[in-house]
Amino acid sequence: MSMFCYQCQEAAKGKGCEIRGVCGKSEETAKLQDLLVYTVKGISEIVTKKGIDVNTLGATNGEVLSSLFMTITNANFDDDALESQIRKMQAARDAILRGAPSEGLGDAATYKADRREAMLEKAASVGVKATENEDIRSLRELITYGVKGMAAYAEHARNLGKEDPEIYAFIYKAMAATLDSSLTADALVALTLETGKYGVNVMALLDEANTSRFGNPEITKVSIGVRKNPSILISGHDLTDLEQLLEQTKGTGVDVYTHGEMLPAHYYPAFKKYDNFAGNYGNSWWKQLTEFESFRGPILFTTNCIVPPRSEEVKSRIFTTGSAGFPGCRHISADANGKKDFSEVIALAKTLPAPDEIERGEIVGGFAHSQVMAVADKVVDAVKSGAIRKFFVMAGCDGRMNSREYYTEFAEKLPKDTVILTAGCAKYRYNKLNLGDIGGIPRVLDAGQCNDSYSLAVIALKLKEVFGLDDINKLPIAYNIAWYEQKACIVLLALLYLGVKNIHLGPTLPAFLSPNVAKVLVETFGIGGIGSAEDDIKMFMA
Ligand code: FSO
Ligand code: SF4
C-alpha cells in the first residue's frame, strides 16, 4: 500500500496525499512517520496497561514528545533521523517492558523492525487506513493530531525546564486509546474534549515557561528592514534556541533576524538587550522559497514549517535543530545539558553577504494577556462607549493556497469599529495592512505565536469577568480561525474545551473529519466553515 496522510489543511484534493505529500513529504518519509507514531502508541499502551508512573520514565517522556513533533507537518523530512528515532523508541519501549510479562499487549508494544526495509514493510499496515470504520478513524486521528500539537508545546516548555507529569500521563492515555478497539465513538468524542482540556494546560505551561524566563511580552515595534551586516535567520518556535543563538552571536558582528513564527520573540523583554537582534525578515513560512534566496545568510530551523528548498545553494545554508530535520542539511543537537553549539552557523554567516532588502518599516505586536490587561480599562471603556463594536479572533496558521486571500480581504473589509486579535502565522495575511487604530488601540493586536492563542483565551475569560457575564459566548467576540497543521488542532480543541462556540474554521474543514464527526462538531459546538469575506462579515456582525 502506498502512503496515506490527511493530517493538514493542504491534503491533496481535500481528501489525502497518496503518492507524495503536497508538503513535499515522500512515501518513505510518510511511512517512517507512521511507524514512529505507532511505536509511541505501543509505549503508551505499556505505560497505561501496566500502570507505570510517568515520573519514573525520565528521558523517555522527552523522546515521546520529540517523536510526535517529528511527525508534524513540515517538521522533519529526514528519513535517516526518523529511522534512528524509531530504533531509539523501540529500545525505550523494550526497556520499559523489561522483565514484565507481555500478555495483554498488542502488536505496537511488541513488534520488531530494525532495518529500513523491515520498517517500511511494517509501516504499510499501521497507518491511518489501518482503522476501517471511518468515524472511529476520524476520531482516533483527531485525538492523535491534537496530541501531536500538545507534544510540540510540551517540548518547548520542557526545553525551558518546565514539565507537567499530568500532561505526560494524558499523552500516554490518549495515544493508547487510539489502539483500543473496545472504545466506542462516544468514548472517543469524550476523549477528544479531554484532549482540549490538556491543550489548555500545555499552553498555560508554555506561557509560564516563556514569561518566567523571558518576561511578559510588551508592545514593541519590530523593524522589517535590513542592516548591512552578515546575518543569520532563525525560524520556528523555540525560544531557548533563539536565546542561545543570541548569546553566541553577541559581539561577533553577525546580526540575527527572525522569520515566520519567530517574529513574536521581539516582544519579550529578555531579547531586547541584544543589539544584534536586528528585526524580522519576510513573512510566513511558505514565502521562504523566495525569501531565503534574498536573505543570503544561513537559516536555522528550530521547528516547522520547512519547505523543501529549490536550490542546492539555499540548502547549503540551512541548518536544523530540535525536532526539525531535512536530508542533506546540517543538524545541530543539544548536549546532555541542553546546550547547542551554533559556531558552524556563525562561521558560515561571516563568509556570506548581508541580506537583500525586501521591505522597509516597522510592525507592532506584543499584545499578550499581561499587556492587554495593563490597558484593560481603556479596552473596556472603548467597548462600553461603542467605539469598539466587536473583536475578531483570527488566530491560527497561514498556508500557500490562494483561497487564503480571503483573510486579507476579510481584514480589509471589516468595519472600522472592530479589532482583530491574532496569534500564529495567520497574521501575515493582514499584519502589514494599514488598518489604523481606535482611540490608540491598534486594530490588529498580535499576541504572539500560535501557542499564544492561550493569551487570547485568557483575555476573553478576563473580559467575561469584567463585564459580569455568565457565558464566554455572550462577549462581543467572533472566531474566524485559519488552520494548517496539527498545532492548530490542539488550539481548536482547547477553545472548544473552554466553551467557545460558533468557531468558523477555514479555508477548508479538515479532511480527517468524517461526515458524522463533522456533524457532531457542528451540532455540539456550532463549528462552521467560511464563505465569501463580505457574506461572512455580514453574518458575524448581525
Ligand atoms: Fe505556523 Fe507552521 Fe505556529 Fe504551525 S509556522 S503553521 S500551526 O508550524 O505552528 O503557526
Ligand atoms: Fe499531505 Fe499535509 Fe500529510 Fe503533507 S502533511 S502529506 S501535505 S496531508
Side-chain angles (χ1 to χ4, degrees), residues 39-254:
T39 314
V40 168
K41 290 180 179 181
I43 293 177
S44 303
E45 190 179 79
I46 296 170
V47 171
T48 314
K49 287 197 174 156
K50 302 282 173 198
I52 294 170
D53 177 358
V54 298
N55 292 300
T56 65
L57 292 174
T60 299
N61 293 325
E63 291 297 342
V64 162
L65 303 181
S66 303
S67 300
L68 292 169
F69 204 163
M70 288 172 87
T71 71
I72 284 183
T73 303
N74 291 342
N76 202 311
F77 295 82
D78 186 347
D79 293 352
D80 291 343
L82 291 163
E83 180 184 324
S84 86
Q85 189 70 12
I86 292 170
R87 215 172 277 125
K88 193 192 262 183
M89 297 315 280
Q90 284 181 24
R93 180 197 66 184
D94 298 345
I96 297 171
L97 194 56
R98 189 162 299 143
S102 63
E103 288 101 66
L105 295 174
D107 177 67
T110 52
Y111 88 90
K112 294 204 187 331
D114 58 355
R115 284 164 304 103
R116 178 81 61 99
E117 304 89 82
M119 289 179 182
L120 292 172
E121 201 185 312
K122 182 76 199 166
S125 62
V126 305
V128 171
K129 291 276 180 87
T131 305
E132 279 170 22
N133 178 302
E134 75 163 349
D135 297 327
I136 299 290
R137 183 197 301 151
S138 175
L139 289 163
R140 285 180 174 177
E141 294 307 316
L142 175 56
I143 292 164
T144 302
Y145 305 153
V147 169
K148 285 188 184 190
M150 190 184 301
Y153 294 154
E155 178 162 298
H156 293 304
R158 185 180 165 101
N159 290 345
L160 286 159
K162 298 271 184 206
E163 294 179 85
D164 178 353
E166 286 187 10
I167 291 172
Y168 294 145
F170 179 77
I171 290 176
Y172 292 118
K173 172 182 148 174
M175 293 304 279
T178 65
L179 291 176
D180 185 349
S181 50
S182 74
L183 293 179
T184 60
D186 285 347
L188 290 171
V189 168
L191 186 61
T192 306
L193 287 189
E194 201 184 345
T195 308
K197 173 177 174 207
Y198 286 93
V200 176
N201 293 357
V202 78
M203 285 194 278
L205 180 75
L206 180 52
D207 183 77
E208 161 67 18
N210 284 335
T211 57
S212 62
R213 173 87 152 256
F214 307 119
N216 272 304
E218 46 193 36
I219 299 173
T220 306
K221 285 183 181 157
V222 181
S223 161
I224 56 171
V226 293
R227 301 181 190 168
K228 296 197 163 32
N229 302 319
S231 302
I232 295 168
L233 192 58
I234 180 168
S235 183
H237 304 69
D238 198 275
L239 298 183
T240 33
D241 288 337
L242 173 69
E243 184 183 38
Q244 296 191 46
L245 182 67
L246 287 170
E247 270 303 310
Q248 292 174 37
T249 48
K250 194 169 65 178
T252 61
V254 173

Side-chain angles (χ1 to χ4, degrees), residues 3 5-8 11 17 21-23 25 73:
M3 68 178 277
C5 178
Y6 63 175
Q7 66 175 352
C8 86
C17 300
V22 173
C23 58
K25 184 160 87 175
T73 303

Side-chain angles (χ1 to χ4, degrees), residues 219 367-382 441-442 445:
I219 299 173
F367 299 92
H369 55 88
S370 114
Q371 185 68 85
V372 174
M373 286 313 132
V375 294
D377 291 354
K378 216 168 156 184
V379 173
V380 170
D381 286 349
I441 302 167
L445 302 182

Side-chain angles (χ1 to χ4, degrees), residues 294-308:
S294 59
F295 184 74
R296 314 283 213 119
I299 297 122
L300 175 65
F301 271 108
T302 66
T303 68
N304 54 338
C305 279
I306 302 175
V307 182

Side-chain angles (χ1 to χ4, degrees), residues 254-271:
V254 173
D255 284 342
V256 173
Y257 293 82
T258 52
H259 190 264
E261 272 283 74
M262 200 54 93
L263 157 67
H266 292 277
Y267 314 152
Y268 288 91
F271 300 127

